[in-house]
Amino acid sequence: MSRDIHTVRFPSAAPPDDVDVLIVGAGPVGLSAAVELAGRGVGVAVVDRAREATLIRAGAMGHTPRVVEHFRRWGLLQRIRDEWTFPPEWNRGIRLVTSLVGHDLAPGRAPSFASTGRTAGSSSEEALRRPQSALQRVFLDHLAERGVTVAGGRPLTALRPTSDGIEAVVGRKTIRARYLLGTDGGSSTVRRLAGIERDGERATEKRLRLIVRTGDISGRVGPAPSGTNIVFNQKASGFLAAVSTREWRVYAGPFPLDHDPSDDELLDTARAAFGFDLDLEIASATTFYEATRIARTFRSGRVLLAGDAAHVRTPGGNLGEGFGDVVNLGWKLAAVLAGHADDRLLDSYDQERRPHNQRVADFALARARRNRATLADIRRIGVPADADTGEEARARREEIARRIAADRQDATGVTFDERYDASGVLWYEDGQHDTEPAWRPDVYQDDPRPGHRAPDGVIDPYGGTLYDRIGNRFALLVLAPDRTAEAAFAAEAAARGLPFTVVHLADPEVRALYGADNVLVRPDQHVAWRGRDLPTGGAAAVLDRILGATAADRVLTGASS
């Protein structure tokens, strides 16, 4: 049974005087960063100026299969599933409709009771819908169990670099940290204090994301209405999505930047989305923009940025990119703090995540503009009233459905293709960048080349996946009988104290998919190197590059070669 997560209160415990990593911002990205780092043995604390988070202010609801893979690795997937705020059977995929009680404009992919519910292809996981406050509740509970301090009501007011870290003035307290991670949103105080500028396109208009409260509408919509809908009619457009059994998200606008719509205007739009007259109350209204603002760097010395603090774009998936930031950065910070890697490794966080986020942001902005043009065409055609079932109305709905279908674009590339193609800590293959297909937002095929997400799959008859087997470690996939590379990597990893495992997979289909006898996978599930024979310098040279070190560094530190 679900818990009431309308308000999630942050603990008020005093933060520590000293910590390895101080995280500023207790949203889902900041708390997930604490989960990631604590799971790797890093001392971490979280502070936030707010004292609570509320359901009605929550942003993202939908989480892609790639994000669900992270939830699973953190060991929190079932707990997140359990935090539903409306009955899960309301989820029927995303319906394209004229209103909640109106006409369908495209066939949907509703779940089948007889099927597993999983789609064949790139992930063993399925997408999930849970509000941000539900994630925060799960993350907070987990961090409390791990003894990690989270302190609300603690605003950051100053940053002072030191010779071996950074001092943060939080409330009346000065906290000393080796590194500081800013996850404090689009108006980030961390980013401002660190002097990091942003680039990107500014919006020319605005929209509002409303949360509206209803009474009991089951008599009109049934006991299990569709929980996620995209509405197209003459007054309303965009998402109409359940947040709880009595609260729904609906979009209003676009409006000129200088226009402040009245409550009556907003409620009129909301009622049009539902498709019938009902009593509504505006619980919250949040302005958002079709714009892109990306930090010029995600790292400045001991300060790092993630989530909205690093990149803001047209809504629709930005939280997932924040989780991607966390997963990329987490193992690197842990490696540096444990002495396994040089501080230079952290430069690769910016090298890898900023270009990826720019690609996704460019796609999101172009899609938003394309959607706006589609909506204009639909309204020129004219969406008939739901009650109109005549021949002309049917013909217009069919024309509208064809217009929508012509513009629909899959986003599997956005979900899964996190390729890192300009990193200093990956062992790219000769000519790789000249031969691999260009990144596309709408296309994804498993690609085992360095920099790409390692293809996942079930590796035992009881449901265990390759990612389950890898866990939080480096992993060498041995896909052929020869074990020479295995012996070299195992010895080198042991000499360095790296978390490392070897996975033997005899299935010839896996060998064909990965295209090499040996594949080294990083803790963030990205391929770092693959080959049959080790390159010049052996396993040591490969690990040196992946960890941002050089042979000279190993000589100075006494590491094995």
Side-chain angles (χ1 to χ4, degrees):
M1 183 145 183
S2 70
R3 286 185 289 174
D4 181 4
I5 55 167
H6 274 74
T7 300
V8 176
R9 291 181 174 81
F10 299 140
S12 57
D17 295 331
D18 294 272
V19 69
D20 287 337
V21 178
L22 178 65
I23 298 171
V24 179
V29 172
L31 294 176
S32 71
V35 170
E36 175 79 22
L37 291 168
R40 297 185 182 280
V42 174
V44 61
V46 185
V47 296
D48 196 297
R49 69 169 54 249
R51 298 184 183 274
E52 63 186 28
T54 59
L55 175 64
I56 62 170
R57 299 292 293 180
M61 286 280 292
H63 311 291
T64 67
R66 179 57 176 153
V67 170
V68 175
E69 289 172 353
H70 303 324
F71 294 164
R72 178 168 174 153
R73 181 172 59 81
W74 292 330
L76 299 175
L77 177 55
Q78 189 56 49
R79 291 167 72 166
I80 291 171
R81 288 190 183 279
D82 290 342
E83 293 290 349
W84 48 267
T85 55
F86 58 87
E89 60 268 27
W90 290 19
N91 288 313
R92 304 178 192 170
I94 298 177
R95 292 179 64 223
L96 276 62
V97 294
T98 58
S99 72
L100 183 61
V101 296
H103 300 265
D104 285 276
L105 295 171
R109 187 177 67 85
S112 168
F113 190 75
S115 72
T116 63
R118 290 182 177 176
T119 54
S122 302
S123 178
S124 62
E125 301 301 334
E126 194 59 26
L128 178 67
R129 290 191 68 80
R130 295 295 182 272
Q132 290 186 190
S133 53
L135 306 185
Q136 288 169 286
R137 178 73 277 158
V138 171
F139 295 157
L140 285 167
D141 288 349
H142 176 77
L143 293 170
E145 293 162 8
R146 298 294 295 263
V148 174
T149 298
V150 179
R154 306 273 180 168
L156 173 73
T157 57
L159 293 176
R160 293 193 291 263
T162 66
S163 60
D164 59 353
I166 191 161
E167 291 182 344
V169 180
V170 177
R172 298 179 180 179
K173 186 181 183 72
T174 297
I175 303 172
R176 292 176 293 277
R178 296 278 301 280
Y179 293 94
L180 185 141
L181 177 59
T183 58
D184 51 341
S187 57
S188 171
T189 299
V190 172
R191 188 184 63 242
R192 177 177 58 80
L193 292 175
I196 299 174
E197 300 292 333
R198 294 189 296 176
D199 293 317
E201 295 192 46
R202 294 186 179 274
T204 58
E205 55 191 11
K206 65 184 180 183
R207 300 193 73 186
L208 271 70
R209 183 191 294 118
L210 311 177
I211 300 295
V212 295
R213 289 199 179 102
T214 72
D216 180 0
I217 59 174
S218 61
R220 187 68 174 82
V221 303
S226 171
T228 310
N229 313 273
I230 299 179
V231 172
F232 298 89
N233 64 44
Q234 295 300 105
K235 287 186 178 180
S237 66
F239 270 105
L240 174 65
V243 176
S244 73
T245 57
R246 294 289 188 274
E247 289 153 331
W248 293 73
R249 173 188 295 171
V250 62
Y251 288 0
F255 302 108
L257 292 174
D258 59 356
H259 176 65
D260 293 321
S262 67
D263 284 359
D264 286 344
E265 188 176 356
L266 298 176
L267 288 170
D268 190 43
T269 298
R271 289 191 182 95
F274 282 93
F276 61 98
D277 191 30
L278 73 167
D279 290 331
L280 291 177
E281 172 194 354
I282 297 176
S284 75
T286 305
T287 302
F288 70 93
Y289 305 91
E290 292 178 358
T292 296
R293 304 293 289 164
I294 296 180
R296 292 179 182 174
T297 181
F298 289 8
R299 182 193 184 192
S300 177
R302 300 276 178 161
V303 175
L304 301 121
L305 303 175
D308 286 1
H311 45 83
V312 174
R313 62 176 174 83
T314 300
N318 203 45
L319 178 58
E321 302 307 329
F323 290 137
D325 298 341
V326 164
V327 171
N328 181 286
L329 179 61
W331 74 268
K332 295 173 180 177
L333 273 171
V336 171
L337 290 164
H340 298 149
D342 186 83
D343 176 84
R344 290 191 297 268
L345 175 62
L346 300 180
D347 292 337
S348 70
Y349 169 62
D350 179 74
Q351 294 168 1
E352 295 176 353
R353 291 303 297 176
R354 189 157 53 88
H356 170 73
N357 275 290
Q358 185 68 63
R359 270 194 295 245
V360 173
D362 290 345
F363 159 74
L365 189 57
R367 179 182 60 183
R369 291 170 174 168
R370 193 167 59 248
N371 289 347
R372 192 188 316 152
T374 299
L375 179 62
D377 287 347
I378 288 170
R379 287 179 169 168
R380 277 194 293 270
I381 296 168
V383 183
D386 288 339
D388 187 347
T389 57
E391 186 63 25
E392 182 185 348
R394 183 189 61 78
R396 272 194 282 156
R397 291 190 191 101
E398 290 178 353
E399 183 180 358
I400 289 167
R402 288 193 296 271
R403 178 64 183 87
I404 292 172
D407 198 47
R408 294 189 74 177
Q409 184 179 26
D410 196 2
T412 52
V414 175
T415 298
F416 292 112
D417 196 348
E418 293 180 305
R419 71 176 71 180
Y420 302 139
D421 46 19
S423 174
V425 297
L426 290 164
W427 198 285
Y428 296 115
E429 298 168 358
D430 290 342
Q432 174 180 331
H433 296 325
D434 298 325
T435 59
E436 64 185 1
W439 185 89
R440 285 182 54 180
D442 59 331
V443 174
Y444 178 76
Q445 291 184 327
D446 283 330
D447 193 325
R449 283 174 281 204
H452 290 261
R453 167 184 170 270
D456 191 25
V458 176
I459 62 171
D460 72 48
Y462 308 107
T465 68
L466 176 60
Y467 288 176
D468 293 338
R469 177 68 174 83
I470 292 172
N472 286 338
R473 296 161 290 191
F474 287 91
L476 182 71
L477 312 186
V478 179
L479 311 178
D482 188 288
R483 301 180 67 182
T484 304
E486 173 191 344
F489 274 113
E492 189 64 33
R496 299 172 186 237
L498 283 179
F500 179 82
T501 190
V502 176
V503 183
H504 295 98
L505 298 174
D507 186 342
E509 291 186 2
V510 179
R511 170 61 179 79
L513 172 62
Y514 272 94
D517 290 356
N518 304 283
V519 182
L520 185 63
V521 181
R522 303 190 318 192
D524 62 353
Q525 303 160 344
H526 280 251
V527 174
W529 167 88
R530 68 172 182 168
R532 184 189 68 179
D533 301 317
L534 289 167
T536 302
V542 175
L543 291 177
D544 281 346
R545 180 177 297 182
I546 293 167
L547 295 170
T550 65
D553 293 326
R554 287 188 293 111
V555 170
L556 291 173
T557 60
S560 169
S561 61

